[in-house]
Amino acid sequence: MRVVAGAATDKGQVREGNEDAYVVDPRLRLFAIADGMGGHQGGEVASATALEALRAAIASGIPVREAIDRANTAVFDKAEGDEDLTGMGTTLTALLTSAPDVTIGHIGDSRAYLLRGGELRQVTEDHSLVEELVREGRITEEQAAVHPQRSIITRALGVERDVDPDVQVMALEVGDRILICSDGLTDMLRNSDIAAVMRREREPTLCANALVDAANAAGGVDNITAVVVDAVGDDDAIDPAAATATVPAGDTGRPAGEGAEPADAAAAPSAPAPPPEADGSTSRRERRATARADRHVGRTAVRVLWFAVPIVLILGLGVAAIAWYARRTYFVAFDGADKVVVYQGRPGGLLIWDPTVLKTTDLARGELPEQAQLAIGGTKEFSNRGDAVAYVVRLEHRTNSATTTTTTSTTLPVPGGVPAPSPTPGATP
Ligand code: MG
């Protein structure tokens, strides 16, 4: 008997990064997935660190339970040594095949399933709050599947110095297919959906891709990872590429849709479940992850302030400068009724600052000397209020005295000394 395996992972439709990781190592006959948690980079570091340490331990011939201990220590020590990683942790579900047996090591809420004779069976127990409630008979499996606190796990790797994994040995038969997957798959798909895809897709990599695609199509609210391991007879023809595939931990997956086929009607995904909610009351992992997230938010807020305060100050100064420039000048112009008016502001306005009327007069355009009409028609500007008002006052005086002259004299003084014609021919004696 030999095993062939394929894997797929994807960050899903909602998450920014992928904190899941997996190992497919046919040489060691080791297949594992880890679903990391912890704010900032913690989740990614936890899952990658756990799988690296697990693989190194298995490669040194260390048995599964002790290898998981080593992985726990590696994650725990790394978290202790780095404030940014405090409280990180990960699930771990690992298969070590040694025909005709497989040893399954497990902690957390990732899962292992066995498809045998067309029937799918979950072979690991979730270390989760809702699973405990189901075991105690307080809620049903159906209620657990949509329970808002189903993401709270009661055991994880790397959060405490000691770890208590489940380890079991199971006899393998030719034709068996094992799936190990993260909760991003099982939260999105019913077991019957998963079984339908596993029965339909013969090749393990295509099967893993199809499972991830189905979870994405159902909402993809979490990172999704599937590793499919087939027990085949020694003489069975296999795809050499699949047989030797070794995918490093932390691989963040394939392009969406690559090598995948749409789920058929039988594999239609269930309605997307609501996204997990933090409860913070039951699980140490959740509390720690929440504390990490809070600290991260705090640091982000400080960083934002560092950038925002100078920007707001600079913008404020800029606005004040424009306002000052817009309002510092004065000009004299004709208003809509062709009367002379003193305005404060820029002719035509500047941005939101329109000129305002400072002083109105009764001086009409037609009463003014031509030179003054031209100057004012081109909007005559002044750098201070006093000059602008004085200019208009002078115009008023000049126009009033000119009017007085007109009424008391028969001729107007004309620049250049050219005598003006009599305004009223025949009136001159
Ligand atoms: Mg997950």
Side-chain angles (χ1 to χ4, degrees):
M1 186 193 296
R2 291 172 300 124
V3 292
V4 277
T9 187
D10 191 74
K11 69 185 175 71
Q13 306 295 305
V14 176
R15 299 291 175 92
E16 298 253 307
N18 193 346
E19 300 185 328
D20 287 0
Y22 65 87
V23 167
V24 171
D25 191 332
R27 190 179 59 81
L28 292 177
R29 290 164 294 130
L30 174 68
F31 311 93
I33 67 151
D35 176 354
M37 63 214 69
H40 206 43
Q41 300 295 308
E44 276 171 52
V45 173
S47 56
T49 303
L51 292 186
E52 209 173 282
L54 178 80
R55 181 160 24 188
I58 296 291
S60 322
I62 293 170
V64 169
R65 185 180 292 276
E66 286 71 32
I68 292 176
D69 276 342
R70 297 245 179 142
N72 183 70
T73 302
V75 176
F76 185 80
D77 286 350
K78 194 170 260 189
E80 291 280 287
D82 186 338
E83 193 205 327
D84 275 351
L85 302 175
T86 303
M88 70 175 177
T90 182
T91 72
L92 178 68
T93 301
L95 309 176
L96 184 66
T97 61
S98 175
D101 293 331
V102 57
T103 303
I104 304 171
H106 166 74
I107 184 158
D109 65 352
S110 299
R111 289 180 180 174
Y113 288 91
L114 171 67
L115 184 75
R116 176 177 287 171
E119 294 298 314
L120 188 74
R121 174 166 73 88
Q122 186 179 338
V123 294
T124 50
E125 263 183 9
D126 294 352
H127 300 143
S128 67
L129 175 68
V130 292
E131 198 52 39
E132 285 179 7
L133 295 176
V134 170
R135 279 198 288 275
E136 290 166 12
R138 290 164 64 183
I139 60 172
T140 65
E141 289 281 357
E142 291 69 33
Q143 288 169 323
V146 294
H147 198 286
Q149 290 168 349
R150 68 188 178 286
S151 68
I152 297 176
I153 64 174
T154 49
R155 275 194 260 170
L157 190 98
V159 294
E160 290 175 64
R161 191 163 289 287
D162 295 314
V163 68
D164 181 22
D166 293 340
V167 178
Q168 59 176 312
V169 177
M170 192 175 78
L172 268 185
E173 297 174 5
V174 170
D176 282 352
R177 168 169 272 189
I178 301 177
L179 165 70
I180 51 177
C181 59
S182 60
D183 64 341
L185 183 81
T186 53
D187 273 354
M188 291 292 102
L189 302 178
R190 294 177 301 233
N191 286 359
S192 56
D193 302 329
I194 293 171
V197 175
M198 288 178 71
R199 283 193 289 262
R200 191 187 68 230
E201 298 290 346
R202 298 293 301 276
E203 201 283 316
T205 302
L206 292 183
C207 180
N209 283 339
L211 286 167
V212 168
D213 285 349
N216 262 326
V221 301
D222 194 4
N223 305 145
I224 310 153
T225 303
V227 176
V228 176
V229 181
D230 286 345
V232 298
D234 288 326
D235 298 330
D236 288 357
I238 53 167
D239 177 348
T244 57
T246 301
V247 185
D251 187 304
T252 50
R254 67 208 162 75
E258 178 201 318
E261 293 170 14
D264 63 20
S270 57
E277 290 170 15
D279 162 80
S281 63
T282 319
S283 157
R284 182 168 176 174
R285 171 189 92 152
E286 284 288 324
R287 282 200 306 274
R288 287 183 169 197
T290 305
R292 279 284 307 112
D294 288 349
R295 281 204 299 281
H296 177 56
V297 167
R299 279 201 299 272
T300 303
V302 169
R303 254 181 242 136
V304 167
L305 275 178
W306 267 109
F307 284 102
V309 168
I311 288 170
V312 168
L313 280 176
I314 288 166
L315 285 177
L317 285 173
V319 168
I322 294 169
W324 174 79
Y325 177 73
R327 300 295 294 161
R328 68 182 274 272
T329 52
Y330 301 83
F331 65 95
V332 176
F334 296 112
D335 67 4
D338 257 2
K339 292 290 173 69
V340 175
V341 174
V342 181
Y343 292 96
Q344 180 178 7
R346 308 291 308 174
L350 184 68
L351 299 181
I352 58 169
W353 293 277
D354 288 331
T356 53
V357 173
L358 193 69
K359 174 180 168 60
T360 57
T361 72
D362 288 328
L363 285 175
R365 185 195 293 263
E367 298 176 283
L368 300 179
E370 192 179 350
Q371 206 176 356
Q373 286 188 30
L374 285 173
I376 294 172
T379 62
K380 191 164 175 56
E381 292 186 40
F382 300 87
S383 60
N384 68 70
R385 175 194 185 106
D387 288 354
V389 172
Y391 174 79
V392 171
V393 170
R394 277 200 303 276
L395 271 183
E396 286 176 318
H397 278 303
R398 202 181 302 163
T399 308
N400 287 341
S401 57
T403 307
T404 307
T405 306
T406 307
T407 54
T408 56
S409 161
T410 54
T411 57
L412 285 169
V414 174
V418 179
S422 167
T424 44
T428 304

